[in-house]
Amino acid sequence: MNKLKYFYSPLLALVLLYGCAQTNILDKVGLTTLVGYDVGTEKKIAATVVIREVNPEFQSNVEVLTTENDTSKGNRIEANQQLSKKVVVGQMRVVLFGEELAKEGLRYYIDTNLENASVSNGIYMAVVEDRVAPLLEYEYENIEDIGQHIFRLIEQNIEQEYMISSTLHEVARDYYSVGKDVAMPIIKREKELVKLSGVALFKDGKMVSRLPATDSFYVKIVRDTFKAGLYETILHHEDLPSALQKITTDDMTVAFDAIHSKRKVTLVDAANPEFDLNVKIKARILETYPDINQGDPKSVAALEKAIQNKLAKELEKVIAQSQKVESDIFGFGEIYRGSVRHAQLTREKWHEMYRDMKVNIHVDFVILRNGVFE
């Protein structure tokens, strides 16, 4: 027993020393918080990285560096050659893609990040209008760390349900699923601001169209549920029920927060794909302009009907846009495949069917209570 003890003690010490040798000391590494990809010259990949460096006094500075190489790993090597500290990706929170690159296809970048054990499946992915590099390299007056700023921008808008979520896990799941396509947020720079400007639609991993940022609401209530976000819509006067037309001669703006939305999609015809989409939303009306008497049951019922019709019309428009470009970001194909035995569905076959698919949209909008103030 004592012999074994003397044998294992030095071995354990060596293991502990090796583990310590592999530890990344904070003031000896550069922490990559964001990476963006653009189409480079001569078919190369242009990578722009945002790196935070911490010195021994625990003061930090942010470096934005752009390199070009044939691979993402090659770009990391080039970045290391230009910095005094080793570049690590364990703190990476966002991956951005230039619009031109997104249109060429993202499969390589999805697979590269999935295969990297240092990269979390929870990192966000988004598309940038035009190119990534100018957005990250711009010297903002009030943004110290552009990588952290973009991460917080995307994170809080997803948490507040103003934008769809697009983590690496979600993007990879949708990309490899037969019957569903990828959707991502789009961001852009407007002078000193960085803002969410739309939703990118993909087909087979290639960006094929876009929706305005406000349409993220409609995408979300078909793809998932809506629990807490605020939403504002304009009800055009000609679409208002007569009870509301008597109150105002103008368009009506309505702001509400959805307490809960629930959707059910049912396949009603497999031969010529046809679905029933039933959406139920329970919401509080926060504000209307012009103001109406929300204590009047007839006015409230008329408002519910007007919002129902508006939401149904907008849902129809958004779905039609996705059908036009054969991008099933809603997952109707997954429902079809799960409902039809031996469907033998392929991406190509479903995209053709999706283009001519019919959806019967039914919206039930219920106003819960009034007079709620934030």
Side-chain angles (χ1 to χ4, degrees):
M1 185 70 181
N2 288 335
K3 289 182 178 180
L4 287 174
K5 180 179 178 181
Y6 291 134
F7 174 78
Y8 282 117
S9 294
L11 182 61
L12 179 61
L14 283 172
V15 171
L16 291 173
L17 284 171
Y18 179 79
C20 292
Q22 298 301 306
T23 301
N24 288 320
I25 307 302
L26 188 60
D27 62 0
K28 293 183 178 181
V29 297
L31 304 175
T32 300
T33 57
L34 180 151
V35 62
Y37 296 105
D38 287 309
V39 174
T41 57
E42 298 179 355
K43 298 183 179 180
K44 290 186 177 182
I45 300 170
T48 303
V49 291
V50 179
I51 300 169
R52 179 170 282 279
E53 295 180 329
V54 180
N55 62 28
E57 290 75 33
F58 293 102
Q59 296 175 334
S60 64
N61 67 290
V62 176
E63 296 273 358
V64 179
L65 191 66
T66 299
T67 59
E68 282 198 17
N69 205 283
D70 293 325
T71 66
S72 62
K73 300 296 188 298
N75 275 302
R76 192 192 303 178
I77 292 171
E78 285 203 26
N80 269 296
Q81 291 172 346
Q82 298 180 49
L83 296 170
S84 60
K85 298 182 179 182
K86 175 185 174 184
V87 177
V88 295
V89 297
Q91 294 299 310
M92 189 165 70
R93 295 291 180 262
V94 182
V95 177
L96 299 178
F97 305 102
E99 195 168 350
E100 183 183 356
L101 184 70
K103 290 176 179 178
E104 290 187 358
L106 301 184
R107 177 173 182 173
Y108 167 79
Y109 304 93
I110 295 171
D111 288 345
T112 296
N113 284 288
L114 283 174
E115 292 165 1
N116 191 338
S118 300
V119 176
S120 165
N121 282 353
I123 63 171
Y124 293 121
M125 293 186 149
V127 175
V128 173
E129 286 191 21
D130 201 9
R131 293 177 63 82
V132 176
L135 179 139
L136 298 179
E137 293 172 346
Y138 183 82
E139 294 184 5
Y140 298 90
E141 290 183 5
N142 301 312
I143 301 175
E144 178 186 353
D145 185 340
I146 186 63
Q148 188 71 1
H149 179 81
I150 291 176
F151 166 63
R152 295 299 182 196
L153 171 73
I154 296 174
E155 182 184 52
Q156 72 94 1
N157 274 277
I158 290 173
E159 289 178 351
Q160 296 295 320
E161 301 196 83
Y162 298 138
M163 180 52 64
I164 60 168
S165 179
S166 61
T167 63
L168 172 60
H169 170 74
E170 291 164 331
V171 168
R173 179 199 63 201
D174 293 348
Y175 176 78
Y176 285 107
S177 172
V178 175
K180 193 172 185 182
D181 287 297
V182 173
M184 286 185 197
I186 302 174
I187 66 174
K188 65 180 289 189
R189 180 178 72 84
E190 274 190 4
K191 297 181 180 178
E192 293 295 322
L193 299 176
V194 178
K195 62 179 288 186
L196 292 165
S197 63
V199 177
L201 310 185
F202 287 77
K203 175 186 175 183
D204 295 331
K206 298 179 180 180
M207 182 178 169
V208 291
S209 188
R210 58 176 294 162
L211 297 168
T214 52
D215 283 349
S216 177
F217 172 78
Y218 303 107
V219 174
K220 185 168 178 59
I221 61 177
V222 179
R223 282 164 58 114
D224 198 2
T225 58
F226 196 82
K227 296 178 181 177
L230 298 174
Y231 187 71
E232 181 182 271
T233 189
I234 297 176
L235 307 175
H236 297 294
H237 184 263
E238 61 269 21
D239 297 328
L240 294 175
S242 58
L244 296 181
Q245 285 184 345
K246 294 176 182 177
I247 297 173
T248 177
T249 57
D250 299 321
D251 294 343
M252 180 174 289
T253 302
V254 181
F256 61 85
D257 64 343
I259 303 301
H260 186 66
S261 79
K262 187 164 60 174
R263 66 98 168 96
K264 183 179 181 182
V265 182
T266 307
L267 178 67
V268 295
D269 187 350
N272 301 295
E274 181 178 347
F275 295 85
D276 279 345
L277 169 61
N278 293 282
V279 177
K280 184 168 186 177
I281 301 175
K282 296 179 180 179
R284 296 178 297 190
I285 300 299
L286 301 179
E287 187 177 352
T288 62
Y289 181 83
D291 195 17
I292 67 169
N293 180 11
Q294 294 186 42
D296 178 13
K298 289 184 179 180
S299 296
V300 172
L303 186 59
E304 286 178 334
K305 183 179 179 181
I307 296 175
Q308 278 178 189
N309 293 339
K310 172 71 173 184
L311 296 182
K313 186 181 294 186
E314 293 298 320
L315 284 170
E316 183 179 348
K317 184 183 72 174
V318 169
I319 293 172
Q321 172 65 14
S322 74
Q323 287 182 268
K324 182 180 179 181
V325 295
E326 299 179 4
S327 174
D328 184 6
I329 60 173
F330 306 103
F332 286 103
E334 287 185 330
I335 295 168
Y336 182 91
R337 188 160 51 91
S339 304
V340 180
R341 295 186 64 184
H342 312 298
Q344 296 182 332
L345 205 62
T346 63
R347 286 189 179 89
E348 295 77 12
K349 181 179 178 181
W350 175 246
H351 283 140
E352 291 179 5
M353 296 168 70
Y354 183 70
R355 184 177 55 220
D356 301 317
M357 172 193 74
K358 182 179 179 182
V359 182
N360 306 310
I361 300 171
H362 308 280
V363 177
D364 182 14
F365 187 88
V366 178
I367 297 175
L368 289 181
R369 57 195 176 96
N370 309 312
V372 178
F373 297 92
E374 290 184 297

